[in-house]
Amino acid sequence: MIAASWDGKSTAQIAGELGCHPQTVRERLHRFNTHGLEGLGDQAGSGRKPRLTEAASWPWSPQRRQGV
């Protein structure tokens, strides 16, 4: 994605090649420009928050067996 941008491709062209939305390309390029390679990883808090704790959702977890 970054290399394609450096080659002068538009966000729409990059998105078409990668099979994602152009807005995703824009957001990733912006994060790269702002934070470098560190900005390309998953961001804290991304994704849906779990509704159950791991102990509650997995009956065989060590925490559940210990009664925690």
Side-chain angles (χ1 to χ4, degrees), residues 33-55:
N33 289 334
T34 304
H35 302 288
L37 289 176
E38 298 286 322
L40 296 179
D42 288 336
Q43 302 298 304
S46 63
R48 182 177 177 176
K49 304 293 183 246
R51 294 177 63 187
L52 298 174
T53 65
E54 184 177 340

Side-chain angles (χ1 to χ4, degrees), residues 17-59:
E17 291 174 6
L18 298 177
C20 64
H21 196 276
Q23 184 61 34
T24 303
V25 175
R26 283 196 248 356
E27 290 170 359
R28 296 289 174 129
L29 291 175
H30 177 72
R31 284 185 2 199
F32 177 78
N33 289 334
T34 304
H35 302 288
L37 289 176
E38 298 286 322
L40 296 179
D42 288 336
Q43 302 298 304
S46 63
R48 182 177 177 176
K49 304 293 183 246
R51 294 177 63 187
L52 298 174
T53 65
E54 184 177 340
S57 64
W58 183 248

